[in-house]
Amino acid sequence: GTNAVIELDLEGDKHLVMVKAVDQNVLTLDVDHADLLHVKRGEKVEVDIPVVSTGEAAPGALITQDADVLTVLADVLNIPEEIELSIEGLEDGEVITAADITMPEGTTLVADPETVILSITLPEVDEELEEAAEAAEEGGADAGADSVDEEGEGESSESDDSEE
């Protein structure tokens, strides 16, 4: 994972480290360089944890996720892989902030509690535009039928000309 703790062996001495940053070659994606952060057991570290939504919101609702990660303080050996956020049954106009999320055991929210994580909205429908689209759809179906009849009549008159 992105917040993995690694045991590094340096000339027989073992050290706990976390990957702080990775520099990759843009073309080959080979790792050119990695910055490591030395950590100790029992130490708390500040990390970004992905936020994953689960469940279904109200039918027809649009879900806008404004924040993909939350910054938390967690024990170095107990960093959660992700934070699950249930959106089951949420209705139009509901907004979930960082303060509304139940943190996994042993973690503390560091991010601003007022950070909007996601919001639920219903798509706005322009009634005039929808009515015009329906009218065009109905009119298009009638126009298509008329053009077929006209074409059919045109073909029969041409065949009448050819017989004379």
Side-chain angles (χ1 to χ4, degrees):
T2 55
N3 296 312
V5 176
I6 304 166
E7 188 173 77
L8 181 66
D9 187 349
L10 289 176
E11 299 176 358
D13 290 334
K14 298 195 186 289
H15 303 274
L16 287 179
V17 296
M18 288 181 63
V19 177
K20 184 175 180 178
V22 176
D23 184 24
Q24 286 184 299
N25 183 302
V26 178
L27 299 175
T28 64
L29 298 180
D30 291 338
V31 174
D32 292 334
H33 176 82
D35 291 337
L36 302 176
L37 177 65
H38 184 263
V39 293
K40 297 177 183 165
R41 292 181 196 282
E43 181 180 355
K44 294 213 177 237
V45 290
E46 194 172 296
V47 291
D48 289 334
I49 307 294
V51 177
V52 178
S53 60
T54 60
E56 294 289 326
L62 295 175
I63 303 160
T64 305
Q65 188 161 349
D66 296 321
D68 295 331
V69 295
L70 268 180
T71 305
V72 299
L73 191 63
D75 182 271
V76 74
L77 295 178
N78 197 22
I79 299 172
E81 288 187 34
E82 63 188 22
I83 296 173
E84 285 191 8
L85 174 60
S86 175
I87 59 169
E88 190 66 40
L90 293 183
E91 299 286 335
D92 180 32
E94 293 194 52
V95 176
I96 306 293
T97 63
D100 297 329
I101 297 177
T102 303
M103 290 292 119
E105 188 176 332
T107 61
T108 308
L109 181 66
V110 173
D112 181 9
E114 297 302 315
T115 301
V116 174
I117 305 302
L118 64 81
S119 56
I120 308 294
T121 57
L122 288 177
E124 290 185 23
V125 177
D126 187 350
E127 290 180 23
E128 290 178 14
L129 185 60
E130 190 173 288
E131 288 173 8
E134 286 177 11
E137 205 173 274
E138 289 173 7
D142 293 342
D146 291 344
S147 64
V148 171
D149 291 341
E150 289 173 10
E151 289 174 13
E153 290 173 8
E155 289 175 15
S156 64
S157 64
E158 286 176 17
S159 61
D160 290 342
D161 290 340
S162 61
E163 289 178 13
E164 293 175 7

